[in-house]
Amino acid sequence: MQTFANLDEFSAHAGQSLGETEYMTITQEMVNLFAQATGDHQWIHTDPDRAARESPYKTPIAHGFLTLSLAPKLLAEIYKVESVKLGINYGANKIRFTNAVPVGSRLRMKAWLHHAEPQNSNEDTNGVRAIVECAFEVEGEQKPACVAELITLLFE
């Protein structure tokens, strides 16, 4: 994990890698719970028997948005700014789902700090709007499963 003392130190890291996580296994239980939470029960995700028969992947695949939803957890494993009291997911400039994440595969994230610009909610807060480029990689695959440019507001 990369640790920064404060937002100035973090901002000075713009244009550089923040690091990568260890691999984590994507389970059918995770996919089923995501389907339950979102109402997206498409068979390619939730029906292992049908996926084995009819899917080009021969196994269920994770929802693209399940992969993306792992970003806060994985980013917390990559970097920390010790002075930050509050972080808010602000949005995304670009998201692409470029490869499938088969159930049982192992996924990791690599992240780069594109840039950070001042963001103050009032005169008493010091904050930045951080643009972080994320690549979700499936072990053994050349093409990432998801690439996203995520925006986070960080306040001291």
Side-chain angles (χ1 to χ4, degrees), residues 79-135:
Y79 78 92
K80 177 182 181 178
V81 181
E82 291 176 330
S83 64
V84 167
K85 295 182 177 114
L86 174 66
I88 299 170
N89 294 320
Y90 188 75
N93 289 332
K94 180 172 49 173
I95 300 166
R96 298 291 183 267
F97 301 110
T98 53
N99 205 353
V101 179
V103 167
S105 65
R106 292 171 21 101
L107 184 76
R108 74 173 174 191
M109 176 198 277
K110 289 184 177 178
W112 300 264
L113 179 58
H114 186 272
H115 72 275
E117 57 194 41
Q119 175 76 35
N120 295 323
S121 63
N122 62 48
E123 302 87 37
D124 299 327
T125 16
N126 183 37
V128 299
R129 181 183 310 195
I131 310 297
V132 177
E133 296 176 22
C134 304

Side-chain angles (χ1 to χ4, degrees), residues 28-51 60-66:
Q28 187 65 54
E29 180 182 19
M30 292 168 68
V31 171
N32 291 346
L33 288 170
F34 189 84
Q36 184 177 0
T38 62
D40 183 353
H41 296 279
Q42 187 181 85
W43 66 266
I44 191 79
H45 307 301
T46 60
D47 188 337
D49 293 333
R50 185 171 177 189
I61 59 172
H63 305 74
F65 284 108
L66 167 57

